[in-house]
Amino acid sequence: RKEVEQDPGPFNVPEGATVAFNCTYSNSASQSFFWYRQDCRKEPKLLMSVYSSGNEDGRFTAQLNRASQYISLLIRDSKLSDSATYLCVVNTLLDMRFGAGTRLTVKP
Amino acid sequence: EAGVVQSPRYKIIEKKQPVAFWCNPISGHNTLYWYRQNLGQGPELLIRYENEEAVDDSQLPKDRFSAERLKGVDSTLKIQPAELGDSAVYLCASSLVRTGEGYEQYFGPGTRLTVT
């Protein structure tokens, strides 16, 4: 089992749709969590941190469930510009792991 | 503020040849990371430096890969000799400080290596 697993995708959604991605992790000692966005042939860029209480940034909402060891990302009112690969990152004090990413395509 | 700088952006070499990548992190960032990313995969950590010290190189294939960060600023990653399977994007990232609460990494544009 991989240490960080993501929905394989791809997700193809129309503009305006709501889409959710999940990411599960196996190390219960994991302490910090992030979502990164990666456009085709570009470097990953931080989208948002994931806090224990959950957090929201505009159309994006991140949730953490420590008991079930997963994090989620919800995108509301999808835009064409949201098309990208979304990577989850799970860190412990000693280690960090990226998921393989979930590809999202938003269509007109 | 300048971001993470990497060079070259692209490199094509024949197998068994050496290759080196260079990274200059964001000014003031004490932690530097080298990742390898294969197509359709997430970045895989090769080595992490805190200042000059390599604190995690467990994923670095030490028979052919080496890295250095002599003055705690810029860093080089070397492969000698390169193999066909080394074709990938090599990403450098930096972060300000590593705390128990997490650390946000900023990535450079990467070096796309093709080994023929």
Short mmCIF file of all heavy atoms in Angstrom, two decimals, chain A residues 31-32 34 36 38 41 43-44 46 49 87 91-100, chain B residues 33 35 37 40-43 48 56 91 98 100-105 107-109 112:
data_model
loop_
_atom_site.label_atom_id
_atom_site.label_comp_id
_atom_site.label_asym_id
_atom_site.label_seq_id
_atom_site.Cartn_x
_atom_site.Cartn_y
_atom_site.Cartn_z
N GLN A 31 1.77 14.95 10.41
CA GLN A 31 1.48 16.14 11.19
C GLN A 31 0.98 17.31 10.37
O GLN A 31 0.25 18.15 10.89
CB GLN A 31 2.74 16.58 11.93
CG GLN A 31 3.19 15.59 12.99
CD GLN A 31 4.29 16.17 13.85
OE1 GLN A 31 5.26 16.70 13.32
NE2 GLN A 31 4.14 16.08 15.15
N SER A 32 1.41 17.40 9.14
CA SER A 32 0.98 18.56 8.35
C SER A 32 0.59 18.09 6.96
O SER A 32 1.11 17.10 6.45
CB SER A 32 2.07 19.63 8.29
OG SER A 32 3.25 19.11 7.72
N PHE A 34 -1.00 19.36 2.94
CA PHE A 34 -1.13 20.44 1.98
C PHE A 34 -1.76 19.91 0.71
O PHE A 34 -1.66 18.72 0.39
CB PHE A 34 0.26 21.02 1.61
CG PHE A 34 1.05 21.53 2.77
CD1 PHE A 34 1.91 20.71 3.46
CD2 PHE A 34 0.95 22.86 3.17
CE1 PHE A 34 2.64 21.17 4.53
CE2 PHE A 34 1.69 23.34 4.23
CZ PHE A 34 2.53 22.49 4.92
N TYR A 36 -1.36 20.84 -3.32
CA TYR A 36 -0.63 21.57 -4.35
C TYR A 36 -1.35 21.40 -5.67
O TYR A 36 -2.01 20.39 -5.93
CB TYR A 36 0.81 21.04 -4.49
CG TYR A 36 1.78 21.56 -3.47
CD1 TYR A 36 1.73 21.12 -2.15
CD2 TYR A 36 2.75 22.49 -3.82
CE1 TYR A 36 2.62 21.59 -1.21
CE2 TYR A 36 3.66 22.97 -2.88
CZ TYR A 36 3.60 22.52 -1.58
OH TYR A 36 4.48 22.99 -0.66
N GLN A 38 -0.65 21.44 -9.86
CA GLN A 38 0.41 21.37 -10.87
C GLN A 38 -0.21 21.42 -12.25
O GLN A 38 -0.98 20.53 -12.63
CB GLN A 38 1.24 20.10 -10.70
CG GLN A 38 2.45 20.05 -11.62
CD GLN A 38 3.40 18.91 -11.30
OE1 GLN A 38 3.00 17.88 -10.77
NE2 GLN A 38 4.69 19.09 -11.62
N ARG A 41 3.30 20.35 -17.37
CA ARG A 41 4.70 20.71 -17.64
C ARG A 41 5.16 21.92 -16.81
O ARG A 41 6.08 22.63 -17.22
CB ARG A 41 4.90 20.96 -19.13
CG ARG A 41 4.54 19.75 -19.99
CD ARG A 41 4.74 20.03 -21.47
NE ARG A 41 6.15 20.01 -21.84
CZ ARG A 41 6.81 18.92 -22.19
NH1 ARG A 41 6.21 17.75 -22.20
NH2 ARG A 41 8.08 18.99 -22.53
N GLU A 43 5.81 23.42 -12.54
CA GLU A 43 6.13 22.93 -11.21
C GLU A 43 4.90 22.98 -10.30
O GLU A 43 3.98 23.75 -10.54
CB GLU A 43 7.26 23.79 -10.59
CG GLU A 43 6.86 25.19 -10.18
CD GLU A 43 7.00 26.20 -11.32
OE1 GLU A 43 7.00 25.78 -12.49
OE2 GLU A 43 7.08 27.40 -10.99
N PRO A 44 4.89 22.17 -9.24
CA PRO A 44 3.78 22.25 -8.27
C PRO A 44 3.79 23.60 -7.56
O PRO A 44 4.84 24.15 -7.25
CB PRO A 44 4.09 21.12 -7.29
CG PRO A 44 5.05 20.22 -7.99
CD PRO A 44 5.86 21.11 -8.89
N LEU A 46 1.80 25.67 -4.26
CA LEU A 46 0.96 25.49 -3.10
C LEU A 46 -0.43 26.07 -3.34
O LEU A 46 -0.56 27.23 -3.71
CB LEU A 46 1.60 26.15 -1.88
CG LEU A 46 0.81 26.03 -0.58
CD1 LEU A 46 0.76 24.59 -0.12
CD2 LEU A 46 1.42 26.92 0.49
N SER A 49 -2.87 25.01 2.67
CA SER A 49 -2.58 24.11 3.77
C SER A 49 -3.89 23.51 4.25
O SER A 49 -4.98 24.05 3.97
CB SER A 49 -1.91 24.87 4.91
OG SER A 49 -0.74 25.53 4.45
N LEU A 87 -2.23 17.65 -6.20
CA LEU A 87 -1.36 16.75 -5.44
C LEU A 87 -1.58 16.96 -3.95
O LEU A 87 -1.57 18.11 -3.49
CB LEU A 87 0.11 17.04 -5.75
CG LEU A 87 0.57 16.92 -7.21
CD1 LEU A 87 1.87 17.68 -7.42
CD2 LEU A 87 0.77 15.46 -7.56
N ASN A 91 3.09 15.20 5.58
CA ASN A 91 4.41 15.31 6.22
C ASN A 91 4.39 14.79 7.64
O ASN A 91 3.44 14.98 8.39
CB ASN A 91 4.85 16.77 6.27
CG ASN A 91 5.03 17.37 4.91
OD1 ASN A 91 5.37 16.69 3.96
ND2 ASN A 91 4.78 18.66 4.79
N THR A 92 5.50 14.15 8.02
CA THR A 92 5.79 13.90 9.42
C THR A 92 7.02 14.74 9.75
O THR A 92 7.54 15.45 8.90
CB THR A 92 6.10 12.42 9.69
OG1 THR A 92 7.33 12.09 9.03
CG2 THR A 92 4.99 11.52 9.17
N LEU A 93 7.51 14.64 10.97
CA LEU A 93 8.72 15.39 11.32
C LEU A 93 9.92 14.90 10.52
O LEU A 93 10.87 15.63 10.31
CB LEU A 93 9.00 15.24 12.82
CG LEU A 93 8.18 16.12 13.75
CD1 LEU A 93 8.53 15.82 15.20
CD2 LEU A 93 8.37 17.59 13.44
N LEU A 94 9.88 13.66 10.11
CA LEU A 94 11.04 13.06 9.46
C LEU A 94 10.85 12.82 7.96
O LEU A 94 11.80 12.50 7.27
CB LEU A 94 11.37 11.71 10.12
CG LEU A 94 11.68 11.76 11.61
CD1 LEU A 94 11.90 10.35 12.14
CD2 LEU A 94 12.91 12.62 11.87
N ASP A 95 9.68 12.98 7.48
CA ASP A 95 9.40 12.49 6.13
C ASP A 95 8.32 13.33 5.48
O ASP A 95 7.52 13.97 6.15
CB ASP A 95 8.92 11.04 6.25
CG ASP A 95 9.03 10.28 4.94
OD1 ASP A 95 9.87 10.69 4.10
OD2 ASP A 95 8.30 9.31 4.76
N MET A 96 8.30 13.31 4.17
CA MET A 96 7.23 13.95 3.44
C MET A 96 6.91 13.12 2.21
O MET A 96 7.80 12.54 1.61
CB MET A 96 7.62 15.36 3.03
CG MET A 96 8.77 15.43 2.05
SD MET A 96 9.39 17.08 1.89
CE MET A 96 10.21 17.25 3.45
N ARG A 97 5.65 13.07 1.88
CA ARG A 97 5.23 12.24 0.75
C ARG A 97 4.20 12.98 -0.07
O ARG A 97 3.26 13.56 0.45
CB ARG A 97 4.61 10.93 1.26
CG ARG A 97 5.61 9.96 1.86
CD ARG A 97 6.44 9.26 0.80
NE ARG A 97 7.32 8.25 1.38
CZ ARG A 97 8.61 8.45 1.63
NH1 ARG A 97 9.15 9.63 1.37
NH2 ARG A 97 9.35 7.49 2.14
N PHE A 98 4.39 12.91 -1.38
CA PHE A 98 3.40 13.42 -2.31
C PHE A 98 2.54 12.26 -2.81
O PHE A 98 3.04 11.16 -3.04
CB PHE A 98 4.09 14.03 -3.53
CG PHE A 98 4.58 15.44 -3.34
CD1 PHE A 98 5.73 15.70 -2.63
CD2 PHE A 98 3.87 16.50 -3.90
CE1 PHE A 98 6.18 17.00 -2.48
CE2 PHE A 98 4.32 17.81 -3.75
CZ PHE A 98 5.48 18.06 -3.04
N GLY A 99 1.28 12.54 -3.01
CA GLY A 99 0.45 11.60 -3.74
C GLY A 99 0.76 11.69 -5.22
O GLY A 99 1.47 12.59 -5.67
N ALA A 100 0.21 10.75 -5.98
CA ALA A 100 0.46 10.73 -7.43
C ALA A 100 -0.32 11.80 -8.17
O ALA A 100 -0.02 12.10 -9.33
CB ALA A 100 0.15 9.36 -7.99
N TYR B 33 15.31 21.07 -1.10
CA TYR B 33 14.90 19.72 -1.46
C TYR B 33 15.18 19.47 -2.94
O TYR B 33 14.99 20.34 -3.77
CB TYR B 33 13.39 19.54 -1.25
CG TYR B 33 12.82 20.09 0.04
CD1 TYR B 33 12.60 21.45 0.20
CD2 TYR B 33 12.46 19.24 1.08
CE1 TYR B 33 12.07 21.96 1.37
CE2 TYR B 33 11.91 19.74 2.25
CZ TYR B 33 11.72 21.10 2.39
OH TYR B 33 11.17 21.60 3.54
N TYR B 35 13.78 16.76 -5.81
CA TYR B 35 12.79 15.76 -6.11
C TYR B 35 12.99 15.26 -7.53
O TYR B 35 13.51 15.96 -8.40
CB TYR B 35 11.37 16.34 -6.05
CG TYR B 35 10.85 16.70 -4.68
CD1 TYR B 35 11.06 17.97 -4.15
CD2 TYR B 35 10.11 15.79 -3.94
CE1 TYR B 35 10.56 18.31 -2.91
CE2 TYR B 35 9.60 16.13 -2.69
CZ TYR B 35 9.83 17.39 -2.19
OH TYR B 35 9.32 17.73 -0.96
N GLN B 37 10.47 13.64 -10.57
CA GLN B 37 9.08 13.40 -10.91
C GLN B 37 9.00 12.71 -12.26
O GLN B 37 9.43 13.26 -13.28
CB GLN B 37 8.27 14.70 -10.93
CG GLN B 37 6.77 14.45 -11.14
CD GLN B 37 5.93 15.71 -11.01
OE1 GLN B 37 6.41 16.82 -11.20
NE2 GLN B 37 4.67 15.53 -10.65
N GLY B 40 3.14 11.28 -14.78
CA GLY B 40 1.97 10.68 -14.15
C GLY B 40 2.15 10.34 -12.69
O GLY B 40 1.28 9.69 -12.09
N GLN B 41 3.24 10.75 -12.11
CA GLN B 41 3.52 10.47 -10.70
C GLN B 41 3.70 11.77 -9.93
O GLN B 41 3.96 12.82 -10.53
CB GLN B 41 4.81 9.65 -10.58
CG GLN B 41 4.86 8.42 -11.45
CD GLN B 41 4.36 7.20 -10.74
OE1 GLN B 41 4.51 7.07 -9.53
NE2 GLN B 41 3.77 6.30 -11.48
N GLY B 42 3.61 11.66 -8.62
CA GLY B 42 3.94 12.81 -7.80
C GLY B 42 5.44 12.91 -7.62
O GLY B 42 6.19 11.97 -7.89
N PRO B 43 5.93 14.06 -7.18
CA PRO B 43 7.37 14.21 -6.91
C PRO B 43 7.83 13.23 -5.84
O PRO B 43 7.14 13.01 -4.85
CB PRO B 43 7.49 15.66 -6.43
CG PRO B 43 6.29 16.35 -6.97
CD PRO B 43 5.20 15.32 -6.96
N ARG B 48 17.08 16.04 1.16
CA ARG B 48 16.70 17.29 1.80
C ARG B 48 17.88 17.82 2.60
O ARG B 48 18.53 17.08 3.34
CB ARG B 48 15.51 17.07 2.73
CG ARG B 48 15.05 18.35 3.43
CD ARG B 48 13.83 18.11 4.29
NE ARG B 48 14.16 17.42 5.52
CZ ARG B 48 13.59 16.28 5.90
NH1 ARG B 48 12.68 15.70 5.15
NH2 ARG B 48 13.93 15.72 7.04
N ASP B 56 18.15 14.13 5.09
CA ASP B 56 17.39 12.98 4.59
C ASP B 56 17.83 12.69 3.17
O ASP B 56 17.47 13.41 2.26
CB ASP B 56 15.88 13.27 4.64
CG ASP B 56 15.04 12.07 4.20
OD1 ASP B 56 15.61 11.02 3.85
OD2 ASP B 56 13.81 12.19 4.22
N LEU B 91 13.14 18.38 -9.80
CA LEU B 91 12.61 19.60 -9.19
C LEU B 91 13.41 19.94 -7.95
O LEU B 91 13.74 19.08 -7.14
CB LEU B 91 11.15 19.40 -8.80
CG LEU B 91 10.15 19.22 -9.94
CD1 LEU B 91 8.86 18.59 -9.42
CD2 LEU B 91 9.85 20.56 -10.59
N ARG B 98 11.69 24.59 9.03
CA ARG B 98 11.01 23.32 9.19
C ARG B 98 10.53 23.23 10.63
O ARG B 98 11.32 23.18 11.53
CB ARG B 98 11.96 22.18 8.86
CG ARG B 98 11.31 20.84 8.79
CD ARG B 98 12.23 19.84 8.13
NE ARG B 98 11.61 18.54 8.04
CZ ARG B 98 11.62 17.64 9.01
NH1 ARG B 98 12.23 17.91 10.13
NH2 ARG B 98 11.04 16.48 8.85
N GLY B 100 7.37 21.77 13.49
CA GLY B 100 6.45 20.66 13.71
C GLY B 100 5.10 20.90 13.11
O GLY B 100 4.32 19.97 12.90
N GLU B 101 4.80 22.16 12.78
CA GLU B 101 3.49 22.45 12.25
C GLU B 101 3.46 22.41 10.73
O GLU B 101 2.43 22.60 10.12
CB GLU B 101 3.04 23.85 12.71
CG GLU B 101 2.73 23.92 14.20
CD GLU B 101 1.64 22.94 14.58
OE1 GLU B 101 0.61 22.91 13.87
OE2 GLU B 101 1.81 22.21 15.55
N GLY B 102 4.59 22.14 10.13
CA GLY B 102 4.58 22.04 8.67
C GLY B 102 5.34 23.17 8.03
O GLY B 102 5.67 24.17 8.66
N TYR B 103 5.59 23.02 6.80
CA TYR B 103 6.44 23.96 6.10
C TYR B 103 6.01 24.00 4.66
O TYR B 103 5.82 22.99 4.02
CB TYR B 103 7.91 23.54 6.21
CG TYR B 103 8.09 22.04 6.23
CD1 TYR B 103 8.37 21.37 5.07
CD2 TYR B 103 7.95 21.32 7.41
CE1 TYR B 103 8.51 19.99 5.06
CE2 TYR B 103 8.08 19.95 7.42
CZ TYR B 103 8.36 19.29 6.25
OH TYR B 103 8.49 17.94 6.25
N GLU B 104 5.83 25.17 4.14
CA GLU B 104 5.40 25.34 2.77
C GLU B 104 6.61 25.37 1.86
O GLU B 104 7.53 26.14 2.06
CB GLU B 104 4.60 26.63 2.65
CG GLU B 104 3.35 26.62 3.50
CD GLU B 104 2.64 27.94 3.52
OE1 GLU B 104 3.08 28.87 2.82
OE2 GLU B 104 1.65 28.07 4.25
N GLN B 105 6.59 24.54 0.86
CA GLN B 105 7.69 24.46 -0.08
C GLN B 105 7.36 25.23 -1.34
O GLN B 105 6.23 25.22 -1.81
CB GLN B 105 7.95 23.00 -0.45
CG GLN B 105 8.33 22.12 0.72
CD GLN B 105 8.49 20.69 0.30
OE1 GLN B 105 9.25 20.38 -0.62
NE2 GLN B 105 7.78 19.80 0.95
N PHE B 107 8.62 25.58 -5.29
CA PHE B 107 9.34 24.80 -6.29
C PHE B 107 9.92 25.68 -7.39
O PHE B 107 9.34 26.70 -7.77
CB PHE B 107 8.39 23.79 -6.94
CG PHE B 107 8.10 22.61 -6.07
CD1 PHE B 107 7.12 22.67 -5.10
CD2 PHE B 107 8.81 21.42 -6.23
CE1 PHE B 107 6.85 21.58 -4.29
CE2 PHE B 107 8.55 20.32 -5.42
CZ PHE B 107 7.57 20.41 -4.46
N GLY B 108 11.05 25.23 -7.90
CA GLY B 108 11.59 25.80 -9.11
C GLY B 108 10.92 25.18 -10.33
O GLY B 108 10.12 24.25 -10.20
N PRO B 109 11.25 25.67 -11.53
CA PRO B 109 10.59 25.19 -12.75
C PRO B 109 11.01 23.78 -13.16
O PRO B 109 10.36 23.16 -14.00
CB PRO B 109 11.02 26.21 -13.81
CG PRO B 109 12.32 26.73 -13.30
CD PRO B 109 12.21 26.74 -11.80
N ARG B 112 14.15 19.17 -17.11
CA ARG B 112 13.63 17.99 -17.79
C ARG B 112 14.80 17.25 -18.42
O ARG B 112 15.42 17.76 -19.36
CB ARG B 112 12.60 18.38 -18.84
CG ARG B 112 11.89 17.19 -19.49
CD ARG B 112 10.77 17.67 -20.41
NE ARG B 112 9.73 18.38 -19.66
CZ ARG B 112 8.72 17.81 -19.04
NH1 ARG B 112 8.57 16.49 -19.10
NH2 ARG B 112 7.83 18.54 -18.41
#
